[in-house]
Amino acid sequence: MSSFTVGDLREAIEGLPDTHELLFDGGLTFSRLKRWGDNSHVVIFRQVQAELYAKTRKTIQVAFAPAVESDDAVATITVPRL
């Protein structure tokens, strides 16, 4: 995981009005921040992560697919082929 600090984010958005939206490339939708240790947090998105096979997609590490609403504890999703 590459390092990107809160200070980096503050510097990147310095001067932007509070009313401006931050949009995420690839259609990702922000969900929340999750504490990940003493000095780290993870940005959680609403889309489901699906790992791809390293042999066939050496430069792609994860794919995102829309979440499926289901009453089941586990929902099956179809990840499109790239």
Side-chain angles (χ1 to χ4, degrees):
M1 182 182 297
S2 63
S3 176
F4 185 70
T5 67
V6 172
D8 294 333
L9 178 59
R10 284 189 179 123
E11 184 178 322
I13 64 173
E14 183 179 9
L16 294 179
D18 290 345
T19 56
H20 279 205
E21 288 184 285
L22 294 176
L23 304 175
F24 298 95
D25 194 23
L28 296 176
T29 305
F30 174 79
S31 177
R32 63 190 172 96
L33 291 176
K34 180 178 180 181
R35 188 175 187 100
W36 197 263
D38 292 337
N39 298 319
S40 299
H41 288 74
V42 175
V43 178
I44 305 293
F45 295 99
R46 289 196 177 121
Q47 288 72 16
V48 178
Q49 292 186 39
E51 292 188 19
L52 301 175
Y53 296 103
K55 289 182 181 180
T56 58
R57 304 282 184 215
K58 294 181 185 210
T59 60
I60 300 174
Q61 296 179 354
V62 295
F64 294 90
V68 176
E69 292 187 24
S70 174
D71 292 333
D72 298 331
V74 176
T76 302
I77 63 168
T78 302
V79 177
R81 290 191 88 148
L82 301 175

